[in-house]
Amino acid sequence: MRRQMHRGMVAALLSAFVWPGAGQLYNRDVKKGAFLIGLTLAVAVAVIIATAAEVTRQLPADIGDLDADLVRTLPAQVLAARSGTLLVSSLVLLLAWAYGIVDSYVGGRGRRKLTLEPRTPPSPPAGP
């Protein structure tokens, strides 16, 4: 018995567990895949830059004035100062992830099935 997995399922799993847009690339929908990958990278870079800027702003000008209490409370202060940015970026990433999964599944459905086991060549017809 051969087990087969639809291309749509493979593409959806790629988008879900590898990276949003990976399933679109698997389905050869390069424009959508590149857009989703670019979008997620751009959001991630924007969050990193905004967080680094806030950390830099919260730190004292003289690094010698850095104390343990400030280091312990810094993550909470940064989160409080950038909560809107983090919320919006999280929603954008969640929507991109969900869209990538659904679109890659729908895009791969109806295409040729991917066989998980190797095909065996057909046996030659029996002679008369």
Side-chain angles (χ1 to χ4, degrees), residues 2-118:
R2 296 176 65 184
R3 293 178 37 201
Q4 295 181 339
M5 185 179 296
H6 290 278
R7 288 184 63 88
M9 183 59 70
V10 173
L13 291 172
L14 285 171
S15 282
F17 296 115
V18 175
W19 196 272
Q24 281 76 7
L25 294 178
Y26 178 77
N27 285 337
R28 296 189 177 118
D29 195 353
V30 178
K31 288 181 183 177
K32 279 185 191 176
F35 174 76
L36 286 171
I37 290 170
L39 175 68
T40 54
L41 285 175
V43 170
V45 167
V47 167
I48 290 169
I49 290 172
T51 304
E54 187 61 31
V55 167
T56 303
R57 193 180 74 69
Q58 298 276 347
L59 288 175
D62 183 17
I63 200 71
D65 295 338
L66 190 63
D67 64 344
D69 288 334
L70 177 63
V71 172
R72 188 175 52 253
T73 61
L74 189 61
Q77 292 172 0
V78 170
L79 182 60
R82 294 290 176 184
S83 62
T85 304
L86 294 174
L87 177 65
V88 170
S89 61
S90 296
L91 288 174
V92 168
L93 290 175
L94 181 66
L95 290 173
W97 179 69
Y99 174 79
I101 293 170
V102 172
D103 181 68
S104 61
Y105 179 75
V106 170
R109 245 180 52 204
R111 292 187 184 203
R112 186 175 57 88
K113 292 181 180 180
L114 174 70
T115 304
L116 297 179
E117 296 174 7

